[in-house]
Amino acid sequence: FPPSLQVFPSQDPLDRADFNAVEYINALFPTEQSLANIDEVVNKIRLKIRRLDDNIRTVVRGQTNVGQDGRQALEEAQKAIQQLFGKIKDIKDKAEKSEQMVKEITRDIKQLDHAKRHLTTSITTLNHLHMLAGGVDSLEAMTRRRQYGEVANLLQGVVNVLEHFNKYMGIPQIRQLSERVKAAQNELGQQILADFEEAFPSQGTKRTGGPSNVLRDACLVANVLDPRIKQEIIKKFIKQHLSEYLVLFQENQDVAWLDKIDRRYAWIKRQLVDYEEKYGRMFPPEWCMTERIAVEFCHVTRAELAKIMRTRAKEIEVKLLLFAIQRTTNFEGLLAKRFSGCTLADGTAKKPEVPPPSTNPFLEDETGAETDEIVIEKSDTDKPKKPKVPDNPFHGIVSKCFEPHLYVYIESQDKNLGELIDRFVADFKAQGPPKPNVDEGGAVLPSCADLFVYYKKCMVQCSQLSTGEPMIALTTIFQKYLREYAWKILSGNLPKTTSSSGGLTITSLLKEKEGSEVAKFTLEELCLICSILSTAEYCLATTQQLEEKLKEKVDASLVERINLTGEMDTFSIVISNSIQLLVQDLDAACDPALTAMSKMQWQNVEHVGDQSPYVTSVILHIKQNVPIIRDNLASTRKYFTQFCIKFANSFIPKFINHLFKCKPISMVGAEQLLLDTHSLKMVLLDLPSIGSQVVRKAPASYTKIVVKGMTRAEMILKVVMAPHEPPVVFVDNYIKLLADCSTDTFQKILDMKGLKRSEQSSMLDLFRLRLPAPPPGGDNTGSLSLSAPTPEQESSRIRKLEKLIKKRL
């Protein structure tokens, strides 16, 4: 059978899909001797056939009755379904009859329930109506007798009951009662205002007899009446209470000026104590009358001070202004401790939120310890800063009037900072540069910390005075003196070099005798340059922190106007100039050695020895300068790496230029130069950790520059060492090793080899012909693809020469 028709798994060979009768018979009778059992085998097969026939017959007969049994089972299932449907229909009919019966039984009960609900509502409404009518009559009678104590409770009850009749206002009697309540309320309001006017007249002095219980109860009634009645009472009382203040501190009075501002605050303190003793119990506590008096006093004082300061603006001095502001802010702080601020314009006293902790150098204990050393936490630079929420709701309620005159304070800070910078300059001239100390080298100049401590003090003080335009003006002053500090203290004290505007004066170095020393920076000068670099780096980081802190302090609408990027760039320029000075100094120290290299007679060198004297001189200068610079820049490692990179970028091209001046060169001379070049390459690779006990791996960016530059120098010498015959091979080797399409460079190589002009001319023509064509669409400076391969034997010769040099090294 095919696999698709196989029902049960079988091991019988007769059931296999690939059954072969011949193979099966051969398996039964593998030899001739086995044919003797043929009858037995045939009988077994016949017996098996009979059994199979019996099984097939039984199965076929069994399948004959299957269809009949299935039809019978289906009929029985259909009958059962019909019986079930009939039972469900009977149950549904009985449920509908039961529901109808229940509705008939409960119809009377539902009617009784509605009647009960309506009756209850009617009784309640009648009771309310009785209470309302009686309450209105009592309210009118009590109002005439000024029985405010009873009226307060009764009026609240009548108003509450009247709310139940809002939907019955169409009934004339109900509407009439509502109008009588409103009339009683209006009469009460006018009557209470008249009583307060009588007790506290607008003109004249306060009543000596003190508050009465009638007025205290009247305040309770005012709580229930229209809020305008309450506001009118408060307004008239406060105005009468502060009338004496306006007289005592008139603009023409001597006590009204800023130098006697304490008397204003002393007067209100006495008045508040007097109020608490005499009238503290007359007004309900929720009216916050004490706070309202203080707040109104603040508004009046701010207006009066603003007016008198405009009139006498020329008399305002810094000390006087700061004195007045300090006394005023102290008074505002006292108000914050005594009152919650619930009566201010916003109507709610906001609970101050605690700002998140921060290690910003300008966020340390702003109210005290303002002269502490500022510590920079660079890890906090990227943290989001949230503005500090003022914890004093009364802040600025009076002191806001001083803001238009803060220009006096800003001008004073401008003058003070100018004097501070001048003192820094004088101190530096008097004390001289810092003492060289390798262990503590690269220390920040102390004047830098003093400047930022003073900045912090000014910023904190100004933010307490105002966070508006004065902060922007102060920021401008900060910018001015950051630039002055950068140029006068830092750039102004950098050691002067003898170099011209274009770099070092090579002509002067060429005049030096061999072995003589050029003018170099002393140890003190090197330490000073490193100290100035470290100071500029500190200023750069701290200025960034200062900008962030100023943006936190200033109003949100003015944040965009604070930008200290220009000052940060100024400090970056100082850092760059300092690094350039260090590079120029070391570069100039190496110049005599390179000049000596170019003046040597390289065609007369007879054998290759140790490194040449000029290499020893260069290494000596490097070992003298680099450890000092590295130790002094230990705190600013990235700038030491910049120094190393800039020195490599300056020294290596200069070395190659001097290499071209070494002409002519013999084969042995070229080998000696190759040895020297390799020695310099090893020293340059080890430059960042030279002379250090701790060996660090040089930065990858620096190593890449050194390897690229010095490898070019080695390739130049390898080309010089190669024979110039045949010319085609020499030109192809040059193109392969240097990948330089410049005819000038090729001309210099020919000069180094000492070829005659006629030979050079033919070589140059050949070189121009052998130059690879630039790729289409590309430039000539790309990678070169050789038009002709270098012969195998010549390449092998170059490799042998390299191995020879390595062995000697």
Side-chain angles (χ1 to χ4, degrees):
F1 298 99
S4 60
L5 299 179
Q6 188 174 1
V7 179
F8 298 106
S10 174
Q11 301 296 328
D12 195 335
L14 295 174
D15 294 332
R16 293 176 58 183
D18 57 346
F19 175 74
N20 190 319
V22 177
E23 292 180 357
Y24 182 70
I25 292 173
N26 290 335
L28 291 177
F29 306 105
T31 60
E32 294 182 1
Q33 290 78 9
S34 62
L35 293 175
N37 300 327
I38 190 171
D39 295 332
E40 183 180 352
V41 172
V42 170
N43 291 333
K44 286 181 180 180
I45 291 176
R46 286 176 178 171
L47 178 61
K48 192 171 185 180
I49 291 172
R50 284 197 298 273
R51 287 177 179 173
L52 287 172
D53 290 340
D54 292 341
N55 290 339
I56 293 171
R57 193 179 302 111
T58 302
V59 171
V60 170
R61 289 174 181 173
Q63 290 296 324
T64 305
N65 301 328
V66 168
Q68 185 178 355
D69 293 342
R71 285 191 295 272
Q72 184 178 355
L74 179 61
E75 290 174 359
E76 291 177 356
Q78 288 175 344
K79 290 179 182 178
I81 290 171
Q82 290 176 355
Q83 292 175 1
L84 179 61
F85 181 75
K87 291 180 181 179
I88 292 173
K89 187 175 182 182
D90 293 341
I91 293 172
K92 181 180 179 183
D93 294 340
K94 290 179 181 179
E96 291 176 352
K97 291 179 182 179
S98 299
E99 183 181 3
Q100 188 67 27
M101 188 181 300
V102 170
K103 286 182 178 179
E104 292 176 357
I105 293 173
T106 58
R107 184 182 296 116
D108 297 336
I109 298 175
K110 188 178 294 184
Q111 291 177 352
L112 291 173
D113 186 53
H114 288 314
K116 177 185 177 183
R117 189 182 305 114
H118 294 159
L119 183 60
T120 303
T121 304
S122 301
I123 293 172
T124 304
T125 304
L126 287 173
N127 286 336
H128 286 163
L129 182 59
H130 176 71
M131 292 170 58
L132 180 61
V136 171
D137 293 338
S138 302
L139 182 63
E140 292 173 344
M142 291 177 183
T143 300
R144 289 191 292 271
R145 294 194 296 269
R146 285 181 165 78
Q147 295 177 343
Y148 296 134
E150 291 79 0
V151 168
N153 296 325
L154 180 60
L155 180 60
Q156 185 64 53
V158 169
V159 171
N160 292 338
V161 171
L162 189 59
E163 290 177 357
H164 293 283
F165 291 94
N166 286 336
K167 55 186 175 180
Y168 304 116
M169 285 301 171
I171 302 172
Q173 290 82 358
I174 302 298
R175 186 165 60 251
Q176 184 180 2
L177 286 174
S178 175
E179 291 172 355
R180 289 176 60 189
V181 171
K182 291 181 180 178
Q185 288 178 321
N186 292 334
E187 184 180 354
L188 275 171
Q190 298 300 326
Q191 191 169 296
I192 290 173
L193 288 175
D195 291 343
F196 268 94
E197 181 65 28
E198 182 182 353
F200 305 102
S202 299
Q203 303 295 330
T205 58
K206 290 180 287 184
R207 205 173 186 179
T208 56
S212 64
N213 292 332
V214 175
L215 294 180
R216 183 181 66 227
D217 295 337
C219 291
L220 297 177
V221 176
N223 266 338
V224 186
L225 295 175
D226 192 328
R228 288 179 292 180
I229 303 298
K230 171 185 171 182
Q231 296 298 330
E232 188 68 21
I233 293 172
I234 293 174
K235 181 180 177 181
K236 287 188 175 181
F237 180 82
I238 293 177
K239 182 178 180 182
Q240 195 276 341
H241 212 70
L242 295 178
S243 58
E244 181 185 348
Y245 173 70
L246 293 173
V247 175
L248 290 176
F249 293 91
Q250 285 182 358
E251 185 177 353
N252 56 2
Q253 298 294 326
D254 185 51
V255 293
W257 189 229
L258 299 180
D259 58 345
K260 296 182 176 59
I261 199 170
D262 280 339
R263 298 192 182 184
R264 293 177 181 267
Y265 304 132
W267 182 89
I268 190 60
K269 291 175 186 176
R270 291 194 303 270
Q271 291 301 311
L272 292 179
V273 172
D274 181 65
Y275 165 81
E276 293 286 352
E277 293 176 354
K278 293 183 178 180
Y279 306 102
R281 296 182 181 180
M282 186 174 76
F283 296 99
E286 63 269 18
W287 285 23
C288 303
M289 284 299 293
T290 310
E291 181 176 327
R292 290 180 186 276
I293 294 172
V295 169
E296 183 61 24
F297 166 81
C298 291
H299 292 324
V300 172
T301 302
R302 183 174 66 186
E304 291 294 319
L305 287 175
K307 183 167 63 174
I308 194 172
M309 283 193 291
R310 281 197 302 270
T311 306
R312 304 171 63 177
K314 294 182 179 180
E315 300 179 33
I316 300 176
E317 298 178 354
V318 178
K319 291 183 179 179
L320 180 62
L321 182 65
L322 293 180
F323 167 78
I325 292 175
Q326 182 183 5
R327 292 295 188 268
T328 303
T329 52
N330 290 344
F331 175 70
E332 292 172 349
L334 184 64
L335 292 180
K337 293 179 182 178
R338 175 66 177 81
F339 304 116
S340 63
C342 61
T343 63
L344 296 175
D346 57 0
T348 56
K350 297 180 181 178
K351 185 177 180 181
E353 299 177 4
V354 179
S358 173
T359 53
N360 188 300
F362 290 95
L363 200 60
E364 331 162 324
D365 191 15
E366 296 176 354
T367 57
E370 291 161 351
T371 58
D372 292 345
E373 184 73 21
I374 298 174
V375 179
I376 296 296
E377 291 288 348
K378 295 183 181 178
S379 61
D380 254 9
T381 301
D382 299 328
K383 290 186 179 180
K385 303 296 188 303
K386 296 181 180 179
K388 185 179 179 182
V389 179
D391 54 1
N392 181 0
F394 296 93
H395 177 70
I397 192 170
V398 179
S399 56
K400 197 75 173 176
C401 67
F402 298 110
E403 188 166 320
H405 304 278
L406 284 178
Y407 67 87
V408 178
Y409 170 76
I410 301 299
E411 291 173 356
S412 172
Q413 295 304 329
D414 188 3
K415 180 181 177 183
N416 292 341
L417 281 169
E419 294 174 353
L420 188 64
I421 294 294
D422 292 340
R423 180 166 64 84
F424 289 160
V425 173
D427 289 348
F428 193 92
K429 289 181 179 178
Q431 300 171 6
K435 301 294 182 182
N437 189 338
V438 177
D439 297 332
E440 301 177 0
V444 176
L445 296 177
S447 59
C448 173
D450 295 341
L451 178 68
F452 282 105
V453 166
Y454 191 83
Y455 270 21
K456 177 186 173 183
K457 181 180 178 182
C458 293
M459 181 186 64
V460 172
Q461 191 176 42
C462 187
S463 65
Q464 293 172 349
L465 306 180
S466 170
T467 56
E469 287 293 337
M471 282 291 285
I472 301 297
L474 185 67
T475 302
T476 304
I477 299 300
F478 284 174
Q479 292 175 297
K480 173 183 175 182
Y481 289 102
L482 282 174
R483 292 192 296 269
E484 286 206 12
Y485 185 85
W487 297 124
K488 290 186 178 180
I489 308 298
L490 300 182
S491 292
N493 288 309
L494 284 174
K496 301 298 185 292
T497 61
T498 58
S499 61
S500 63
S501 58
L504 296 168
T505 53
I506 303 299
T507 54
S508 63
L509 296 175
L510 289 174
K511 296 177 182 178
E512 297 285 342
K513 294 182 179 179
E514 186 175 352
S516 63
E517 290 291 333
V518 296
K520 287 179 57 180
F521 289 141
T522 62
L523 174 61
E524 291 79 7
E525 289 174 330
L526 287 176
C527 292
L528 173 60
I529 296 173
C530 293
S531 180
I532 289 176
L533 193 155
S534 300
T535 304
E537 192 269 342
Y538 175 85
C539 291
L540 178 63
T542 313
T543 302
Q544 185 177 359
Q545 298 286 347
L546 173 63
E547 181 184 49
E548 293 175 3
K549 193 58 191 170
L550 285 169
K551 288 182 177 180
E552 287 181 22
K553 295 287 186 184
V554 79
D555 293 339
S557 60
L558 302 175
V559 168
E560 296 299 326
R561 294 174 59 185
I562 293 181
N563 186 0
L564 302 184
T565 305
E567 288 63 42
M568 296 183 208
D569 293 343
T570 300
F571 288 116
S572 298
I573 291 172
V574 174
I575 292 172
S576 178
N577 291 342
S578 301
I579 294 175
Q580 191 60 35
L581 275 179
L582 296 173
V583 171
Q584 286 182 1
D585 179 59
L586 183 55
D587 214 9
C590 298
D591 268 347
L594 296 179
T595 304
M597 175 190 78
S598 62
K599 290 182 178 182
M600 286 182 63
Q601 302 297 321
W602 291 103
Q603 74 273 21
N604 298 330
V605 177
E606 297 179 354
H607 62 275
V608 179
D610 294 333
Q611 63 186 25
S612 302
Y614 74 89
V615 176
T616 306
S617 175
V618 170
I619 296 175
L620 176 63
H621 289 304
I622 290 176
K623 288 184 177 181
Q624 285 177 349
N625 281 31
V626 174
I628 297 173
I629 297 172
R630 181 183 59 243
D631 293 340
N632 279 275
L633 296 181
S635 59
T636 54
R637 187 76 187 176
K638 63 178 180 179
Y639 293 117
F640 174 69
T641 302
Q642 286 187 21
F643 159 77
C644 294
I645 291 174
K646 286 189 176 183
F647 174 71
N649 282 328
S650 174
F651 175 79
I652 294 176
K654 187 178 292 186
F655 172 75
I656 292 176
N657 287 335
H658 280 78
L659 205 60
F660 284 133
K661 296 177 182 179
C662 299
K663 54 186 178 181
I665 303 177
S666 65
M667 178 67 71
V668 179
E671 291 182 9
Q672 179 64 52
L673 275 173
L674 190 59
L675 172 65
D676 296 341
T677 302
H678 186 77
S679 299
L680 285 175
K681 180 179 178 181
M682 292 298 103
V683 171
L684 289 175
L685 287 174
D686 191 42
L687 181 71
S689 59
I690 194 167
S692 174
Q693 297 178 353
V694 180
V695 179
R696 288 186 181 181
K697 186 178 179 181
S701 57
Y702 170 76
T703 303
K704 183 178 178 181
I705 292 171
V706 172
V707 170
K708 182 179 178 181
M710 296 305 289
T711 301
R712 174 175 170 79
E714 291 175 343
M715 291 300 106
I716 290 172
L717 291 172
K718 288 179 182 179
V719 171
V720 172
M721 291 167 61
H724 61 279
E725 293 291 344
V728 174
V729 175
F730 176 77
V731 170
D732 288 345
N733 280 336
Y734 169 83
I735 295 174
K736 178 184 178 182
L737 293 177
L738 286 183
D740 190 343
C741 298
S742 171
T743 54
D744 292 339
T745 306
F746 188 67
Q747 176 77 54
K748 292 176 182 178
I749 296 289
L750 297 179
D751 290 339
M752 292 173 71
K753 291 184 67 67
L755 296 181
K756 298 178 180 178
R757 289 296 175 185
S758 57
E759 294 176 335
Q760 290 187 14
S761 177
S762 60
M763 280 282 192
L764 286 171
D765 294 338
L766 181 62
F767 172 72
R768 294 187 185 96
L769 292 174
R770 302 294 290 179
L771 278 178
D779 53 13
N780 293 333
T781 59
S783 58
L784 298 176
S785 57
L786 299 180
S787 58
T790 304
E792 182 178 353
Q793 65 274 17
E794 197 61 34
S795 177
S796 174
R797 184 176 178 182
I798 293 292
R799 283 197 295 271
K800 289 179 182 178
L801 185 59
E802 290 179 0
K803 290 180 182 179
L804 176 63
I805 293 174
K806 287 181 180 178
K807 287 180 181 179
R808 292 181 177 179
L809 291 177

